[in-house]
Amino acid sequence: MGHVPEQQVDSAAENPPSSALVSAPSRWGLSTLDWVRLGLFAAGLLCVATGLLPRAEAADNMRRIGPLLLFLCSVIILAELTRQAKVFDVIAHRLAILGRGYYPALFLLCVLFASATTILLNLDTTAVLLTPVMLALAIPARIPPLPLAMTTLWLANTASLLLPVSNLTNLLAAERVALRATDFAARMWAPQLVSITATMVCLWVWYWRRGRRETDRYVPPEPIRPENARERTLLYTTAGACLLFILAIPFVGDRIGIAATLAAAIAVVAFAIFDRSSLRLSLIPWQLLVFVVGLFLVVPTLSRFGLADVMHALIGHDSGVVGAYRAAGAGAGLSNVANNLPAYTAGEAVVSEENRNQLLALLIGTNVGPIVTPWASLATLLCLEFCRTHGVRVPMPRFVLTGLGLAVVATTGAVAVLLATG
């Protein structure tokens, strides 16, 4: 058995609260990122109050994102209660046991787990809930934590193409091109397959192969089992709520927020009966909500004062191959300069509704591309923050260079198959 390399997990931080998103909180209990979000929200309100953004346009934007905010809030509450019921821990340990100490088997199982979580429950679920679970698994199994961290970080982004629920940008795009969940999946399955395949190759070569992990085998951990009837009930009820939500996705269309709310309500009722102390106001992801609202007020304002002209120049109006790659490149580039959500919303504003390929290529760039800089997507930022709180060192030069390589390969390949299958 080889030794575990230097990127060790800090066991003292084995289970940080998922709401502790960034660095040391201030005296008000807010982190630096929280203040940034509140500042963005305040800037958005100021844009409306001063007339820089007409109130009618602001109201239209709020009506558009209302169902998205309902979905985002509900799915995060559902996922957090599922984490508290140890559903993710049970699955992660079972997968490690199933791998029987063989790294190639564990690698495939981790890719499957992270991809399924991202596709079915949203990329922020993977970032917020799966990352700490996978890092905690590294301790009993004596697995180098960096490969596990990069697997969740990359797949939280690159596996978010298939369904509208996989990414908030997908919900916006599906509404813009009027595609139901099944139609959206039929259009995006090939780009998603290419993106995940490229991610697997890059993960294995740069993080998982023998020369990188320094160990031949890992130690299969003991399974996690509920200790009593109360824990069993919470485990099965929350897992069932997640399953019901997943099964509803093909049928609910644009009412996905209602489906998520009903699933979250099942989990909330279960905890109200068996573990009421876990139901706290901190379950509501206010940080994400104010961030999204602020973006949808600030970005349209910036578009009125020059951003739209910049995006026009970057994306153009070509409805063919060149236009699709320009849109994808602009989306990926702006995502890594700023963030993927404003990059998509700014790009969407200058792409005509009838040019579906260009819009979906923009979506690929903003979903797959935000893995080069730490702030490129909220999921990337959250994964890196959990690495920090768990004592896992992520070398930034290596992170940037390998992320750039994957972003170029995966985005290029995904756009190519999008055009070939369109």
Side-chain angles (χ1 to χ4, degrees), residues 2-342:
H3 71 284
V4 177
E6 63 180 6
Q7 300 98 344
Q8 290 291 336
V9 177
D10 182 359
S11 59
E14 188 168 315
N15 291 297
S18 63
S19 58
L21 296 182
V22 166
S23 53
S26 68
R27 57 181 289 191
W28 302 96
L30 300 176
S31 70
T32 301
L33 183 58
D34 292 337
W35 284 111
V36 171
R37 289 166 172 151
L38 288 172
L40 182 68
F41 179 70
L45 295 180
L46 188 62
C47 290
V48 178
T50 58
L52 294 175
L53 181 68
R55 293 190 178 184
E57 185 176 345
D60 288 341
N61 287 338
M62 293 304 100
R63 280 192 291 269
R64 183 186 182 194
I65 68 171
L68 309 186
L69 295 177
L70 177 64
F71 162 75
L72 186 63
C73 182
S74 299
V75 80
I76 291 295
I77 292 174
L78 172 64
E80 172 61 22
L81 292 178
T82 303
R83 183 195 68 83
Q84 291 188 31
K86 297 185 178 180
V87 174
F88 290 96
D89 300 80
V90 169
I91 295 173
H93 279 244
R94 288 291 181 182
L95 292 179
I97 294 169
L98 187 60
R100 304 181 65 178
Y102 294 99
Y103 272 101
L106 179 67
F107 170 69
L108 293 175
L109 291 168
C110 286
V111 167
L112 178 63
F113 189 21
S115 298
T117 304
T118 300
I119 290 169
L120 299 171
L121 291 177
N122 186 270
L123 78 165
D124 294 323
T125 298
T126 300
V128 173
L129 303 179
L130 191 56
T131 305
V133 167
M134 298 296 276
L135 293 178
L137 175 65
I139 298 173
R142 300 181 189 176
I143 301 169
L146 186 59
L148 294 173
M150 293 305 300
T151 300
T152 54
L153 189 154
W154 276 359
L155 287 168
N157 292 283
T158 62
S160 66
L161 289 173
L162 185 61
L163 296 175
V165 300
S166 307
N167 199 323
L168 187 59
T169 54
N170 293 4
L171 289 168
L172 296 171
E175 178 195 32
R176 180 76 183 278
V177 297
L179 290 176
R180 293 174 59 87
T182 49
D183 298 323
F184 189 91
R187 191 71 186 87
M188 299 301 288
W189 72 267
Q192 181 65 94
L193 181 61
V194 169
S195 177
I196 291 178
T197 301
T199 305
M200 291 176 63
V201 172
C202 291
L203 279 171
W204 184 261
V205 171
W206 288 326
Y207 291 98
W208 277 84
R209 62 184 172 87
R210 176 65 176 83
R212 294 295 185 183
R213 51 181 158 79
E214 301 182 11
T215 56
D216 292 318
R217 292 173 62 87
Y218 67 91
V219 179
E222 293 296 320
I224 294 180
R225 296 186 176 91
E227 295 181 358
N228 50 52
R230 180 184 66 84
E231 289 189 2
R232 281 194 298 273
T233 302
L234 289 175
L235 175 69
Y236 296 141
T237 302
T238 54
C242 285
L243 183 60
L244 287 174
F245 169 67
I246 292 168
L247 293 175
I249 291 172
F251 307 104
V252 294
D254 58 2
R255 296 183 294 277
I256 190 66
I258 296 175
T261 301
L262 293 175
I266 294 173
V268 168
V269 169
F271 270 85
I273 296 173
F274 295 100
D275 188 10
R276 185 170 298 180
S277 63
S278 294
L279 297 178
R280 306 178 302 275
L281 285 177
S282 60
L283 287 172
I284 300 174
W286 67 265
Q287 301 98 328
L288 299 181
L289 301 181
V290 299
F291 176 68
V292 173
V293 171
L295 280 177
F296 276 83
L297 296 176
V298 171
V299 172
T301 304
L302 294 177
S303 295
R304 291 171 58 85
F305 291 93
L307 180 59
D309 295 332
V310 173
M311 296 307 294
H312 268 299
L314 292 174
I315 294 176
H317 299 286
D318 187 343
S319 59
V321 174
V322 174
Y325 275 106
R326 285 181 64 176
L334 186 57
S335 293
N336 285 291
V337 170
N339 181 271
N340 69 323
L341 189 53

